[in-house]
Amino acid sequence: MADISWELFHQQVQDCTLCSLYATATHKVPGQGDIHSPLMFIGEGPGQREDEEGIAFIGPAGQLLTKMLSAIYLPRDRVYICNIVKCRPPNNRVPLDEEMAACKLHLRMQVALIRPKVIVLLGSTALHATLGPDHYITRERGKWYERKGVWMMPTYHPSALLRDPLKKREAWEDMQSLRNRLIDLNLYPDIYQELTSDDI
Ligand code: URA
């Protein structure tokens, strides 16, 4: 799709009044990163820092996400990062079903523009909104799902890792599984073909 569609997407998000979250948001947070990335991360919704700056995952959870990416040799600017909802829910509450449903229009357009090969769902909100409400993050993290040729893996949200560092071991397993999937699909060859098996 031509870049003009990205303009349309960003305009559509900026103009959006489909749910009431727009009224309390300081900035809309559409998402950012490499628009040609084969890998997309989807979180829940903007927190305070993201709302202040208009950029997804730049607060403490985002800093941890950046570290997790670099642990599998991925620079953050080589992936695309966004959220289920593009406006901050007041007091960081979980987005309501109707807010997620309204915002799906934007997410669908984003996925259609990026056409990722792999999607990582960060936390239960992203898992529920994408694969359905009868999925459980504790049970399904690290599992792979294929939907219409796209590989999807839920893992813990980085905020959950900050709250409970004991989850970090499982999160690291998930990141290794992600790296293996990227290697299997021959994505990021410039990064992974440079590494020897000792590195990974
Ligand atoms: N948590 C999220 O789910 N998304 C962000 O952008 C920041 C924190």
Side-chain angles (χ1 to χ4, degrees):
M1 262 186 234
D3 282 354
I4 186 74
S5 297
W6 277 106
E7 278 174 34
L8 206 70
F9 164 76
H10 283 284
Q11 200 57 52
Q12 180 180 277
V13 171
Q14 292 312 325
D15 296 345
C16 183
T17 56
L18 287 175
C19 78
S20 59
L21 291 182
Y22 80 94
T24 47
T26 313
H27 288 104
K28 307 277 180 89
V29 183
Q32 79 287 324
D34 179 1
I35 58 169
H36 303 292
S37 171
L39 172 60
M40 189 167 179
F41 285 81
I42 306 179
E44 177 175 303
Q48 184 184 348
R49 282 285 312 282
E50 291 77 17
D51 177 66
E52 284 165 4
E53 311 261 341
I55 301 169
F57 279 100
I58 48 157
Q63 286 158 25
L64 179 55
L65 178 62
T66 305
K67 275 197 207 159
M68 290 159 67
L69 288 171
S70 63
I72 56 164
Y73 305 100
L74 282 179
R76 184 180 154 123
D77 62 5
R78 296 284 307 274
V79 307
Y80 191 84
I81 304 176
C82 66
N83 285 301
I84 294 292
V85 295
K86 314 305 188 204
C87 295
R88 182 191 184 199
N91 304 315
N92 295 346
R93 65 161 168 73
V94 176
L96 305 175
D97 285 348
E98 60 263 32
E99 293 161 351
M100 294 194 276
C103 222
K104 223 165 198 176
L105 172 79
H106 305 309
L107 186 62
R108 285 213 178 99
M109 190 160 171
Q110 241 165 344
V111 172
L113 284 162
I114 304 246
R115 293 194 286 135
K117 304 266 189 304
V118 177
I119 296 179
V120 176
L121 303 169
L122 297 169
S124 57
T125 300
L127 173 61
H128 293 158
T130 309
L131 293 178
D134 49 342
H135 290 264
Y136 294 90
I137 192 75
T138 44
R139 199 170 65 199
E140 290 167 58
R141 54 138 281 274
K143 290 196 177 147
W144 285 97
Y145 297 82
E146 202 201 344
R147 294 283 187 278
K148 297 182 189 161
V150 180
W151 287 99
M152 300 191 184
M153 181 189 70
T155 188
Y156 290 127
H157 192 289
S159 300
L161 305 179
L162 292 173
R163 281 193 304 271
D164 179 5
L166 289 177
K167 289 193 165 81
K168 283 188 180 174
R169 192 182 53 77
E170 289 172 315
W172 172 232
E173 285 171 14
D174 297 349
M175 292 308 283
Q176 288 174 300
S177 175
L178 170 62
R179 180 204 57 204
N180 292 342
R181 177 71 58 186
L182 298 174
I183 292 172
D184 284 352
L185 295 174
N186 199 26
L187 303 174
Y188 300 101
D190 61 314
I191 294 177
Y192 292 117
Q193 282 177 10
E194 292 292 305
L195 300 173
T196 68
S197 50
D198 285 348
D199 293 321
I200 49 182

